Each structure stands twice: as structure tokens, then as C-alpha cells.
Amino acid sequence: TISLDAGSQLTRVTEEFTGIDTVFTVAAGIVMREEGSTLPVPSEANAIVYRLDGGEGGITYVGSVLTTPGIEVTENKDHLLIMTRYTPGTPLVYFTGGGWSKWGFESDSAWTDYISKFSQRISAPLESMVRFQSKGTDPGLPRERISKRLWRRLCLRCARSSWSPSG
């Protein structure tokens, strides 16, 4: 399954493998080009980052972020790979995508910062509980009794707020 949240540079990829009953190693990767280079990113980001110099066309940035612990970053032939372990019967989720120096990522550090912050957000997601209380009634209304219109407005308001684990 592949999905992209509005406003995100990275696509969520969910994969499940069948036919094998033991834990095994898998990799997410980026094709490397002669005019490209890897960029450093903190190991706790569970990510790989790459830049591709397009001359006057600008720099294309590419990255992949794991939701499971990375066990190794390596180059194999013309690929930059980040390895992790897959447990059969569970979904493997990772994010991959890109940015451009002529739209939003003016420097290498702007892209690597984006990847690092993205990794922080997915490793420590915001969780919240909303309680509704009507005047003069018992506290809290169950979700099923809230109008769909009100629920959508609340969800949209939450989605527009900016949040990061560092505050």
C-alpha cells in the first residue's frame, strides 16, 4: 500500500511478505548516480539521504526513513541501502520521497533537517484524546453521538496545527 499525506514530501509504503516464516533482512534503497552524493544524517534517524546535482535545473534530494530500527547502511552496486529486519505476519512500513532546491529545500542541511524531524515525528507520534461536554449534562459524549460535520472540523483543525516532539 502506498499513500501520501497532504503537505508531506514522503510517501508511506506498507509491505507484507508471505511464504517465509522466519525473520529476515530487507532493505529500502536509493539509486545512486554519477552526479550524486550521499548526505550525512544522524543514525537515530533510521534514514538514508541523497542529493542529485542537476546543474541549472537545481538539486534533487531523495530520502528514505524506516519505522523499524535500521541495522546497517551500505552501498551495493549503484544503490544506497538501509537494512532492517522483517518479522513475517507484520506490516513493514517506511517512508520515501524527495525534495527540490528550487522549492522549499535551498540547502543540503534543509533537506537533512526535514528528514531528521520527520523521523522524530513518526517515532514519537502525537496522541490525543478529545472529550466533549455539553452544558448541564454528564461529562463526555461518545464519538458516535458527535455530528460528522463537527468531527470533520475538529480533525481538520488538529491536522493544521504544527507539532514536533521538541515542542
Side-chain angles (χ1 to χ4, degrees):
T1 305
I2 298 173
S3 63
L4 178 64
D5 289 340
S8 178
Q9 297 296 122
L10 302 178
T11 301
R12 178 188 171 109
V13 179
T14 305
E15 297 188 48
E16 291 195 50
F17 301 94
T18 58
I20 299 177
D21 295 330
T22 58
V23 174
F24 60 97
T25 302
V26 295
I30 298 169
V31 175
M32 298 188 311
R33 304 278 186 230
E34 192 173 300
E35 61 278 7
S37 60
T38 61
L39 296 174
V41 65
S43 61
E44 62 270 7
N46 281 325
I48 51 176
V49 181
Y50 193 75
R51 81 186 295 271
L52 186 61
D53 193 344
E56 288 184 28
I59 298 168
T60 300
Y61 294 105
V62 184
S64 292
V65 180
L66 299 176
T67 61
T68 54
I71 56 174
E72 180 183 5
V73 173
T74 187
E75 292 181 16
N76 186 337
K77 300 189 181 182
D78 291 331
H79 295 86
L80 175 62
L81 304 171
I82 185 165
M83 317 286 251
T84 190
R85 305 290 285 165
Y86 175 74
T87 303
T90 62
L92 173 69
V93 178
Y94 64 96
F95 294 82
T96 190
W100 187 33
S101 64
K102 294 190 175 191
W103 187 88
F105 299 98
E106 293 78 26
S107 66
D108 293 355
S109 63
W111 179 245
T112 56
D113 289 349
Y114 176 83
I115 293 292
S116 293
K117 288 176 182 174
F118 187 92
S119 177
Q120 287 176 341
R121 284 192 306 270
I122 63 172
S123 65
L126 173 64
E127 293 183 18
S128 63
M129 179 170 47
V130 179
R131 286 189 60 99
F132 298 92
Q133 185 170 350
S134 299
K135 284 185 176 180
T137 63
D138 291 332
L141 286 174
R143 157 71 178 101
E144 297 77 30
R145 292 188 53 203
I146 300 167
S147 75
K148 287 182 182 180
R149 182 176 178 196
L150 173 60
W151 186 252
R152 278 194 302 269
R153 284 180 30 207
L154 287 168
C155 290
L156 287 173
R157 192 170 291 156
C158 291
R160 284 190 211 121
S161 68
S162 59
W163 174 87
S164 71
S166 59

